[in-house]
Amino acid sequence: MGKKGTFFITIGLLLLAAALLLTVYNVWDSHRAGVAAQETVQSLKTMLPSPGETAPEPTEETSAQETTAPTEEAAPLEQTLPPAPLLEGEMPTVELNGYDYIGVLEVASLELSLPVMDQWDYERLKISPCRFAGNVYEDNLVICGHNYSQHFQPLKYVPVGTQVQFTDAVGNVFRYTVSSFDTVGPNDVERMISGDWDLTLFTCNVSGQTRCAIRCDRIE
């Protein structure tokens, strides 16, 4: 075998090794993101008041408790609460580990429960889904999430009619059903945030060249 053949074999092996390392990293990163989201959402669930309750004023003692690790005894969100009234104003937030969260997103059929940050950037998206635009009280909330297996990836395959629940930072519960799916270009912000949908959840498709938007209607 000549030098040219050896060179191409070496290049091929290096490319295979790089692909393998990338796959391993992606699996690890997805697992890390899932663990981070679950730890955060369990802490948030212990901090959110029930509808009708007034959120307690933060104290030095409660602030310290908010940063402690969640326990297995954290109570799940109540599933039988009535729909929240249409409220007004800016969405309240809860601070946890230096980040502001607007609430918790849940899809019972997927056993998916995720915290939602108030603002988005790529570093925040590594921890949890984030508000991209809109306001739950104005029925135009748009939430973005990474294509992690324990974040928004499963949402791309749910059937129309799947129920979605969002609980805000003061305990109001909003319920939705998935009504349609939309493929949106990566820079087509106007199409992503416009329309008559009450809630939009979006994430990257496999190619990374388009976004899958899950459009949802609110259940009154």
Side-chain angles (χ1 to χ4, degrees):
M1 182 181 297
K3 292 183 178 180
K4 188 174 182 180
T6 301
F7 171 78
F8 283 115
I9 289 175
T10 301
I11 293 298
L13 290 174
L14 289 174
L15 290 174
L16 286 173
L20 178 61
L21 288 174
L22 180 61
T23 299
V24 171
Y25 171 79
N26 287 338
V27 171
W28 170 84
D29 194 38
S30 180
H31 175 73
R32 175 207 55 76
V35 171
Q38 290 310 303
E39 289 178 348
T40 300
V41 82
Q42 290 301 323
S43 294
L44 283 177
K45 285 181 177 182
T46 65
M47 297 161 62
L48 300 184
S50 299
E53 291 183 355
T54 302
E57 292 294 326
T59 64
E60 292 184 2
E61 181 179 356
T62 57
S63 298
Q65 291 174 350
E66 290 172 2
T67 58
T68 59
T71 67
E72 295 182 355
E73 297 178 356
L77 289 176
E78 179 59 55
Q79 299 296 316
T80 58
L81 298 173
L86 183 60
L87 306 177
E88 296 180 352
E90 183 56 39
M91 296 181 66
T93 61
V94 174
E95 183 178 350
L96 181 64
N97 298 328
Y99 295 103
D100 290 330
Y101 292 85
I102 58 171
V104 174
L105 181 75
E106 297 184 285
V107 184
S109 63
L110 297 175
E111 299 183 349
L112 191 67
S113 183
L114 295 166
V116 181
M117 284 194 192
D118 181 42
Q119 299 180 8
W120 84 276
D121 61 36
Y122 291 110
E123 289 304 313
R124 286 179 170 85
L125 283 172
K126 291 181 180 180
I127 302 172
S128 85
C130 304
R131 174 164 64 163
F132 182 76
N135 186 316
V136 70
Y137 308 140
E138 298 174 3
D139 284 335
N140 60 3
L141 181 61
V142 180
I143 300 174
C144 57
H146 260 316
N147 191 36
Y148 293 136
S149 61
Q150 297 182 60
H151 281 199
F152 273 13
Q153 184 188 79
L155 292 174
K156 296 186 294 183
Y157 309 108
V158 300
V160 169
T162 297
Q163 294 195 6
V164 177
Q165 177 174 297
F166 178 80
T167 305
D168 72 7
V170 291
N172 294 301
V173 178
F174 299 81
R175 292 187 176 86
Y176 307 85
T177 58
V178 174
S179 60
S180 62
F181 296 83
D182 195 8
T183 300
V184 181
N187 299 315
D188 196 350
V189 175
E190 181 61 27
R191 181 174 173 181
M192 182 67 74
I193 65 176
S194 62
D196 296 328
W197 298 282
D198 300 320
L199 173 69
T200 293
L201 313 171
F202 77 90
T203 188
C204 292
N205 282 317
V206 175
S207 67
Q209 302 302 309
T210 58
R211 307 288 183 262
C212 177
I214 300 95
R215 309 294 194 177
C216 305
D217 292 324
R218 187 178 172 196
I219 303 173
E220 297 296 339

